[in-house]
Amino acid sequence: MGRQRSYGHVPRPHAILYYSQRTSNGGLLITEATGVSDTAQGYTDTPGIWTMEQVEAWKPIVDAVHAKGGIFFCQILHVGRVSNTGFQPNGQAPISSTEKQVPLNGIDVSEYTPPKRLRTDEIPQIVNDFRLAARNAMEAACVVIT
């Protein structure tokens, strides 16, 4: 799920009400797709968890769910090649394991920028992005899934 209401990739206070209205004692909530880095983005206004500002913004949301007895999971992700230069830092090409573009669910491939294949030496950075995002989600008191 992507609500696309996290302007600047920072969850906003209205998300406190949104998520807390959807929880109950023992209920499980899974966040909307939450990016692990600035290169993980493929949609406008989706939340992230790679900066301390984002972590601090998630905390009151998680607290509201916990206050109602809910369990809150953070769904961390990287969109890979399902992106375009408009979502990438410095207008770079999205990253992937291949340069190939594949149509997804009938979406025209022209909506996506041809991706840049990661070199082997670049893979540890993406792994580290997931590691940092998982730690940040735990700092915000979320349980983490990928």
Side-chain angles (χ1 to χ4, degrees):
M1 174 181 80
R3 294 180 59 241
Q4 296 180 282
R5 294 181 180 164
S6 296
Y7 313 113
H9 305 297
V10 177
R12 298 300 168 180
H14 63 262
I16 297 168
L17 179 62
Y18 177 84
Y19 283 111
S20 67
Q21 284 179 330
R22 287 157 177 81
T23 196
S24 59
N25 191 27
L28 170 65
L29 283 181
I30 300 174
T31 66
E32 58 198 293
T34 303
V36 299
S37 70
D38 57 351
T39 66
Q41 303 305 308
Y43 307 94
T44 60
D45 303 322
T46 55
I49 191 102
W50 70 89
T51 70
M52 282 299 105
E53 178 185 15
Q54 293 162 336
V55 171
E56 293 303 317
W58 276 113
K59 285 181 178 181
I61 301 165
V62 176
D63 289 346
V65 169
H66 289 169
K68 290 181 84 175
I71 300 166
F72 204 63
F73 277 73
C74 184
Q75 177 188 191
I76 58 177
L77 74 95
H78 192 297
V79 299
R81 66 182 169 195
V82 185
S83 188
N84 65 51
T85 56
F87 295 117
Q88 297 301 307
N90 304 314
Q92 68 190 30
I95 57 176
S96 181
S97 59
T98 178
E99 297 93 5
K100 294 180 183 177
Q101 289 180 287
V102 178
L104 301 168
N105 298 327
I107 298 171
D108 186 352
V109 171
S110 66
E111 293 184 31
Y112 304 112
T113 303
K116 171 194 170 294
R117 180 189 302 217
L118 283 176
R119 298 183 319 265
T120 303
D121 65 316
E122 294 173 309
I123 294 171
Q125 178 58 53
I126 306 307
V127 171
N128 191 58
D129 290 344
F130 274 90
R131 183 191 61 77
L132 177 61
R135 284 197 176 158
N136 286 347
M138 289 185 283
E139 170 71 21
C142 292
V143 179
V144 180
I145 59 174
T146 58

